[in-house]
């Protein structure tokens, strides 16, 4: 135990409150379980793994993890926890990060890949942040991306949400906000269609999104004017769409019921 981070630091440590507000704004009837693996950065793999296991053991259906880091000294502990969550039918949503990196070329943690590149489980999602304008800046310039690890994009700028001490903000930004929106939609689907597995919910979110093929800015040091088709920036090539996801969930769930 590292002691309590509550009581005196709400004005500084706002992130959890902001993410909780985004998730509950999408579905205000879900129950939230707040687990702090760090106060401000320095997320240790032991704490990440233990928090995942605690959430699973105490009834979580969707785990939202709005942090990322460059090094993972005990990655196997986190992978084992992700696999444990899959075995218990729990979806884990993480974020691509706000460094504008091509994750096909650099590692970001946590992810769900083994050293040979294969995925340890099918219940883990990595989310990038999209803009509300459908143009060459639909990928927010600071959002990391990559067709290997990033599964989907979701809205990540100018999000209305909660702050500590009964306050609100109109401009929650970043891949954390995009991840929280994705977690909220996942929770919405799981609340209406509890027969769907975590893996099915993951693929519903990916398959039902809106695909865009327009060229977006992906500058590099060698080519500051480089562009890439948006649908090549993630596995799905899409932006999350809650309405489409619910329609697809209904079809798949109904098909499962008929198949019984």
């Amino acid at each position: 135990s590292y002691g309590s981070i509550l009581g005196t630091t709400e004005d500084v440590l706002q992130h959890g409150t902001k993410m909780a507000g985004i998730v509950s704004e999408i579905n205000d009837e879900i129950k939230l379980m707040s687990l702090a693996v760090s106060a401000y950065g320095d997320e240790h793999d032991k704490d990440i793994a233990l928090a995942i296991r605690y959430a699973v053991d105490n009834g979580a259906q969707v785990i939202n993890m709005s942090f990322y880091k460059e090094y993972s000294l005990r990655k196997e502990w986190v992978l084992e926890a992700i696999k444990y969550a899959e075995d218990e039918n729990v979806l884990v949503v993480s974020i691509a990060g706000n460094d504008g990196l091509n994750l096909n070329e650099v590692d970001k943690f946590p992810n769900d890949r083994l050293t040979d590149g294969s995925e340890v489980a099918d219940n883990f999602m990595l989310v990038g942040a999209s803009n509300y304008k459908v143009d060459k800046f639909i990928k927010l310039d600071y959002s990391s991306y990559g067709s290997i690890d990033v599964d989907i994009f979701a809205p990540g700028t100018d999000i209305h949400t909660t702050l500590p001490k009964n306050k609100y903000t109109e401009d929650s930004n970043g891949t954390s906000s995009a991840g929280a929106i994705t977690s909220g939609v996942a929770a919405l689907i799981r609340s209406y269609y509890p027969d769907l597995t975590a893996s099915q919910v993951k693929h519903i979110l990916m398959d039902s999104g809106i695909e865009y093929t327009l060229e977006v800015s992906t500058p590099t040091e060698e080519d500051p004017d480089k562009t890439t088709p948006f649908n090549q920036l993630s596995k799905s090539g899409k932006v999350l769409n809650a309405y489409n996801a619910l329609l697809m969930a209904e079809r798949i769930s109904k098909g499962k019921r008929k198949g019984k």
Side-chain angles (χ1 to χ4, degrees), residues 3-14 17 36 39 164-165:
S4 175
I5 64 171
L6 301 177
T8 60
T9 56
E10 290 93 339
D11 291 330
V12 177
L13 304 179
Q14 302 177 348
T17 304
K165 300 180 180 180

Side-chain angles (χ1 to χ4, degrees), residues 143-154:
S143 176
S144 293
Y145 58 94
S147 58
I148 296 174
D149 281 339
V150 180
D151 292 292
I152 196 169
F153 279 74

Side-chain angles (χ1 to χ4, degrees), residues 152-226:
I152 196 169
F153 279 74
T157 188
D158 295 341
I159 309 298
H160 179 271
T161 188
T162 49
L163 291 173
K165 300 180 180 180
N166 297 316
K167 297 178 181 179
Y168 297 88
T169 178
E170 300 285 346
D171 60 351
S172 182
N173 303 308
T175 54
S176 289
S177 296
I181 286 177
T182 305
S183 293
V185 176
L188 184 65
I189 292 173
R190 303 213 77 178
S191 67
Y192 278 99
Y193 305 102
D195 57 316
L196 298 178
T197 67
S199 175
Q200 286 177 314
V201 173
K202 169 184 174 177
H203 289 284
I204 285 170
L205 296 176
M206 293 174 64
D207 295 342
S208 64
I210 304 297
E211 183 174 0
Y212 297 101
T213 59
L214 71 166
E215 296 282 332
V216 299
S217 178
T218 53
T220 64
E221 290 185 7
E222 298 77 17
D223 185 3
D225 297 321
K226 180 182 179 182

Side-chain angles (χ1 to χ4, degrees), residues 12-129:
V12 177
L13 304 179
Q14 302 177 348
H15 196 74
T17 304
K18 292 165 72 175
M19 298 308 106
I22 293 172
V23 172
S24 59
E25 191 171 30
I26 295 171
N27 185 354
D28 61 5
E29 294 185 0
I30 65 172
K31 295 180 179 179
L32 297 175
M33 181 193 307
S34 298
L35 302 176
V37 298
S38 71
Y40 206 99
D42 294 327
E43 301 88 0
H44 299 299
D45 289 331
K46 179 179 179 180
D47 298 324
I48 295 170
L50 289 176
I52 292 172
R53 291 176 176 272
Y54 182 93
V56 172
D57 290 344
N58 286 275
Q61 293 295 302
V62 179
I63 297 174
N64 182 76
M65 304 197 303
S66 55
F67 56 85
Y68 66 99
K69 56 182 184 172
E70 297 180 17
Y71 302 101
S72 183
L73 298 181
R74 291 290 185 176
K75 182 180 179 180
E76 68 275 13
W77 293 353
V78 179
L79 292 179
E80 289 168 1
I82 291 171
K83 179 61 179 172
Y84 178 71
E86 181 186 48
D87 293 341
E88 298 298 324
N89 196 27
V90 178
L91 181 68
V92 181
V93 178
S94 190
I95 61 173
N98 302 329
D99 298 321
L101 298 174
N102 182 352
L103 299 184
N104 289 358
E105 300 176 355
V106 296
D107 276 333
K108 184 227 64 109
F109 303 98
N111 60 50
D112 60 348
R113 283 187 288 106
L114 298 168
T115 53
D116 64 1
S118 61
E119 294 185 349
V120 70
D122 197 33
N123 66 321
F124 182 89
M125 297 188 71
L126 209 64
V127 182

